[in-house]
Amino acid sequence: EVQLVQSGAEVKKPGESLKISCKGSGYSFTSYWIAWVRQMPGKGLEWMGIIYPGDSDTRYSPSFQGQVTMSADKSISTAYLQWSSLKASDTAMYYCARASGYGDYWGQGTLVTVSS
Amino acid sequence: EIVMTQSPGTLSVSPGERATLSCRASQSVSSNLAWYQQKPGQAPRLLIYGASTRATGIPARFSGSGSGTEFTLTISSLQSEDFAVYYCQQYNNWPPYIFGQGTKLEIK
Protein backbone atom coordinates (compact mmCIF):
# COMPACT_ATOMS: atom_id res chain seq x y z
CA GLU A 1 0.00 0.00 0.00
CA VAL A 2 1.36 3.38 -1.03
CA GLN A 3 1.58 5.75 1.91
CA LEU A 4 2.96 9.22 2.48
CA VAL A 5 3.22 10.14 6.16
CA GLN A 6 3.96 13.73 7.06
CA SER A 7 5.43 15.18 10.22
CA GLY A 8 3.22 16.77 12.84
CA ALA A 9 1.82 20.25 13.24
CA GLU A 10 4.22 23.08 14.01
CA VAL A 11 3.81 26.42 15.77
CA LYS A 12 6.62 28.87 15.11
CA LYS A 13 7.45 32.54 15.51
CA PRO A 14 8.24 34.85 12.60
CA GLY A 15 11.88 34.65 11.65
CA GLU A 16 12.33 31.07 12.88
CA SER A 17 13.41 28.22 10.64
CA LEU A 18 11.48 25.03 10.00
CA LYS A 19 11.85 21.73 8.16
CA ILE A 20 8.86 19.42 7.66
CA SER A 21 8.99 15.91 6.29
CA CYS A 22 7.13 13.43 4.13
CA LYS A 23 8.02 9.73 4.36
CA GLY A 24 7.03 7.43 1.54
CA SER A 25 6.43 3.70 1.71
CA GLY A 26 4.87 0.94 -0.35
CA TYR A 27 6.51 1.96 -3.62
CA SER A 28 9.90 2.78 -5.13
CA PHE A 29 10.52 6.19 -3.56
CA THR A 30 13.28 7.05 -6.02
CA SER A 31 11.12 6.47 -9.10
CA TYR A 32 8.44 9.13 -8.61
CA TRP A 33 8.46 12.88 -8.14
CA ILE A 34 7.22 14.28 -4.84
CA ALA A 35 5.18 17.48 -4.99
CA TRP A 36 4.56 19.99 -2.23
CA VAL A 37 1.20 21.79 -2.22
CA ARG A 38 0.17 24.73 -0.03
CA GLN A 39 -3.35 25.45 1.18
CA MET A 40 -3.76 28.68 3.08
CA PRO A 41 -6.66 28.90 5.55
CA GLY A 42 -9.97 28.75 3.71
CA LYS A 43 -8.27 28.91 0.31
CA GLY A 44 -7.48 26.68 -2.64
CA LEU A 45 -4.53 24.52 -3.57
CA GLU A 46 -1.20 25.89 -4.81
CA TRP A 47 1.49 23.75 -6.40
CA MET A 48 4.80 24.81 -4.79
CA GLY A 49 7.24 22.58 -6.62
CA ILE A 50 8.47 19.07 -7.19
CA ILE A 51 11.54 17.01 -6.34
CA TYR A 52 12.76 13.73 -7.81
CA PRO A 53 14.30 11.76 -4.94
CA GLY A 54 16.29 9.59 -7.33
CA ASP A 55 18.68 12.44 -8.16
CA SER A 56 17.24 15.39 -6.15
CA ASP A 57 16.30 17.26 -9.33
CA THR A 58 14.10 20.07 -8.01
CA ARG A 59 11.75 22.49 -9.78
CA TYR A 60 10.01 25.35 -8.05
CA SER A 61 6.90 27.24 -9.04
CA PRO A 62 7.89 30.86 -9.67
CA SER A 63 5.86 32.09 -6.69
CA PHE A 64 7.84 29.88 -4.32
CA GLN A 65 11.32 30.10 -5.84
CA GLY A 66 13.69 31.45 -3.20
CA GLN A 67 11.04 31.22 -0.47
CA VAL A 68 11.41 27.53 0.40
CA THR A 69 13.88 24.71 -0.14
CA MET A 70 12.93 21.18 -1.11
CA SER A 71 15.23 18.25 -0.46
CA ALA A 72 15.12 14.47 -0.17
CA ASP A 73 17.01 11.68 1.56
CA LYS A 74 16.47 8.60 -0.53
CA SER A 75 18.18 6.38 2.05
CA ILE A 76 15.20 6.88 4.35
CA SER A 77 12.56 7.55 1.66
CA THR A 78 11.84 11.02 3.00
CA ALA A 79 11.28 14.36 1.34
CA TYR A 80 11.59 17.68 3.10
CA LEU A 81 10.29 21.22 2.81
CA GLN A 82 12.13 23.91 4.70
CA TRP A 83 12.07 27.61 5.46
CA SER A 84 15.02 29.65 6.71
CA SER A 85 12.94 32.55 8.03
CA LEU A 86 9.21 32.06 8.46
CA LYS A 87 6.63 34.78 7.95
CA ALA A 88 3.08 35.00 9.24
CA SER A 89 1.94 34.54 5.64
CA ASP A 90 3.49 31.05 5.65
CA THR A 91 0.66 29.91 7.92
CA ALA A 92 -1.00 27.11 5.96
CA MET A 93 -1.54 23.41 5.55
CA TYR A 94 1.22 21.81 3.52
CA TYR A 95 0.65 18.55 1.65
CA CYS A 96 3.10 16.28 -0.06
CA ALA A 97 1.93 14.10 -2.92
CA ARG A 98 3.41 11.46 -5.16
CA ALA A 99 3.44 13.21 -8.50
CA SER A 100 3.18 11.94 -12.04
CA GLY A 101 2.16 15.40 -13.20
CA TYR A 102 -0.91 14.90 -11.04
CA GLY A 103 -0.84 13.83 -7.41
CA ASP A 104 -2.05 10.27 -7.10
CA TYR A 105 -1.26 9.66 -3.42
CA TRP A 106 -1.26 12.37 -0.78
CA GLY A 107 0.09 12.80 2.71
CA GLN A 108 -2.24 13.78 5.52
CA GLY A 109 -0.88 17.33 5.61
CA THR A 110 1.24 19.32 8.04
CA LEU A 111 -0.30 22.43 9.58
CA VAL A 112 2.23 25.21 10.01
CA THR A 113 1.22 28.17 12.16
CA VAL A 114 3.46 31.22 12.32
CA SER A 115 2.50 33.71 14.97
CA SER A 116 4.26 36.05 17.36
CA GLU B 1 1.35 31.17 -17.05
CA ILE B 2 -1.79 29.16 -17.70
CA VAL B 3 -4.92 30.20 -15.81
CA MET B 4 -7.46 27.54 -14.85
CA THR B 5 -11.00 28.80 -14.29
CA GLN B 6 -13.65 26.62 -12.69
CA SER B 7 -17.38 27.25 -12.81
CA PRO B 8 -19.60 27.63 -11.02
CA GLY B 9 -17.99 28.67 -7.75
CA THR B 10 -20.76 26.92 -5.83
CA LEU B 11 -23.19 24.32 -7.15
CA SER B 12 -26.31 23.28 -5.25
CA VAL B 13 -27.68 19.88 -6.24
CA SER B 14 -30.05 17.40 -4.63
CA PRO B 15 -28.91 13.86 -3.78
CA GLY B 16 -29.59 11.48 -6.64
CA GLU B 17 -29.33 14.21 -9.26
CA ARG B 18 -26.52 14.83 -11.75
CA ALA B 19 -23.81 17.41 -11.17
CA THR B 20 -21.74 18.97 -13.94
CA LEU B 21 -18.62 20.94 -13.07
CA SER B 22 -16.58 22.90 -15.61
CA CYS B 23 -12.92 23.80 -15.91
CA ARG B 24 -11.45 26.05 -18.59
CA ALA B 25 -7.77 26.56 -19.38
CA SER B 26 -6.44 29.84 -20.79
CA GLN B 27 -4.47 27.85 -23.36
CA SER B 28 -4.47 24.25 -24.50
CA VAL B 29 -3.35 21.66 -21.94
CA SER B 30 -4.10 18.75 -24.29
CA SER B 31 -5.56 15.98 -22.10
CA ASN B 32 -3.20 16.66 -19.20
CA LEU B 33 -5.95 17.54 -16.76
CA ALA B 34 -6.75 16.04 -13.38
CA TRP B 35 -9.71 16.39 -11.01
CA TYR B 36 -9.56 16.13 -7.21
CA GLN B 37 -12.11 15.99 -4.43
CA GLN B 38 -11.41 17.57 -1.06
CA LYS B 39 -13.58 17.21 2.01
CA PRO B 40 -13.18 19.42 5.08
CA GLY B 41 -10.15 18.48 7.15
CA GLN B 42 -8.92 15.97 4.57
CA ALA B 43 -6.22 15.87 1.95
CA PRO B 44 -7.24 16.08 -1.70
CA ARG B 45 -8.15 12.81 -3.39
CA LEU B 46 -7.39 12.14 -7.03
CA LEU B 47 -10.54 11.33 -9.01
CA ILE B 48 -9.61 11.67 -12.69
CA TYR B 49 -6.36 12.02 -14.65
CA GLY B 50 -5.71 12.28 -18.37
CA ALA B 51 -8.99 14.23 -18.50
CA SER B 52 -11.10 11.07 -18.49
CA THR B 53 -9.36 8.16 -16.71
CA ARG B 54 -10.73 7.31 -13.29
CA ALA B 55 -8.14 6.83 -10.57
CA THR B 56 -7.94 3.58 -8.65
CA GLY B 57 -11.03 2.92 -6.54
CA ILE B 58 -13.08 5.83 -7.88
CA PRO B 59 -16.75 4.92 -8.46
CA ALA B 60 -18.09 4.83 -11.99
CA ARG B 61 -20.53 7.66 -11.23
CA PHE B 62 -17.57 10.02 -11.62
CA SER B 63 -16.62 10.77 -15.23
CA GLY B 64 -14.41 13.31 -16.92
CA SER B 65 -14.41 14.63 -20.46
CA GLY B 66 -12.84 17.28 -22.64
CA SER B 67 -9.50 18.20 -24.15
CA GLY B 68 -7.63 21.32 -25.10
CA THR B 69 -9.17 24.11 -23.05
CA GLU B 70 -12.61 22.87 -21.99
CA PHE B 71 -13.17 20.10 -19.44
CA THR B 72 -16.09 18.68 -17.51
CA LEU B 73 -16.44 16.53 -14.41
CA THR B 74 -19.81 14.79 -14.18
CA ILE B 75 -21.18 13.00 -11.14
CA SER B 76 -24.10 10.99 -12.43
CA SER B 77 -26.14 10.41 -9.27
CA LEU B 78 -24.98 12.35 -6.25
CA GLN B 79 -24.42 10.49 -3.02
CA SER B 80 -24.19 12.19 0.36
CA GLU B 81 -20.44 11.57 0.48
CA ASP B 82 -19.91 13.48 -2.78
CA PHE B 83 -20.60 16.89 -1.32
CA ALA B 84 -17.16 18.49 -1.20
CA VAL B 85 -14.89 20.93 -3.03
CA TYR B 86 -13.61 19.86 -6.43
CA TYR B 87 -10.44 21.14 -8.08
CA CYS B 88 -9.09 20.75 -11.58
CA GLN B 89 -5.35 20.88 -12.26
CA GLN B 90 -3.34 21.08 -15.47
CA TYR B 91 -0.03 19.26 -15.78
CA ASN B 92 0.77 20.00 -19.39
CA ASN B 93 2.89 23.12 -18.89
CA TRP B 94 5.59 23.63 -16.26
CA PRO B 95 6.15 25.84 -14.43
CA PRO B 96 3.90 25.53 -12.60
CA TYR B 97 1.16 22.92 -12.50
CA ILE B 98 -1.84 25.13 -11.80
CA PHE B 99 -5.00 24.28 -9.90
CA GLY B 100 -8.35 25.89 -10.57
CA GLN B 101 -9.89 27.86 -7.73
CA GLY B 102 -12.35 25.09 -6.90
CA THR B 103 -16.08 24.41 -7.09
CA LYS B 104 -17.98 23.78 -3.88
CA LEU B 105 -20.68 21.16 -4.37
CA GLU B 106 -23.35 21.58 -1.73
CA ILE B 107 -26.59 19.88 -0.87
CA LYS B 108 -29.70 21.60 -2.22
Side-chain angles (χ1 to χ4, degrees), chain A residues 53-81:
Chain A
D55 60 5
S56 290
D57 184 9
T58 307
R59 304 177 189 184
Y60 296 94
S61 298
S63 298
F64 294 94
Q65 180 81 47
Q67 307 305 306
V68 296
T69 301
M70 296 176 193
S71 60
D73 185 342
K74 60 186 179 182
S75 70
I76 55 171
S77 300
T78 300
Y80 301 96
L81 178 66

Side-chain angles (χ1 to χ4, degrees), chain A residues 37 39 43-50 59-63 95 100-109, chain B residues 1 34 36 38 41-46 48-50 56 87 89-91 94-101:
Chain A
V37 174
Q39 188 166 39
K43 302 298 184 182
L45 304 170
E46 300 173 90
W47 197 283
M48 301 174 70
I50 51 175
R59 304 177 189 184
Y60 296 94
S61 298
S63 298
Y95 294 102
S100 302
Y102 50 88
D104 57 358
Y105 291 90
W106 292 67
Q108 82 277 19
Chain B
E1 182 175 297
Y36 302 87
Q38 188 179 32
Q42 296 186 15
R45 173 194 184 195
L46 177 68
I48 301 284
Y49 62 93
T56 303
Y87 295 94
Q89 178 233 323
Q90 72 85 14
Y91 54 97
W94 178 273
Y97 292 152
I98 296 285
F99 291 96
Q101 81 279 19

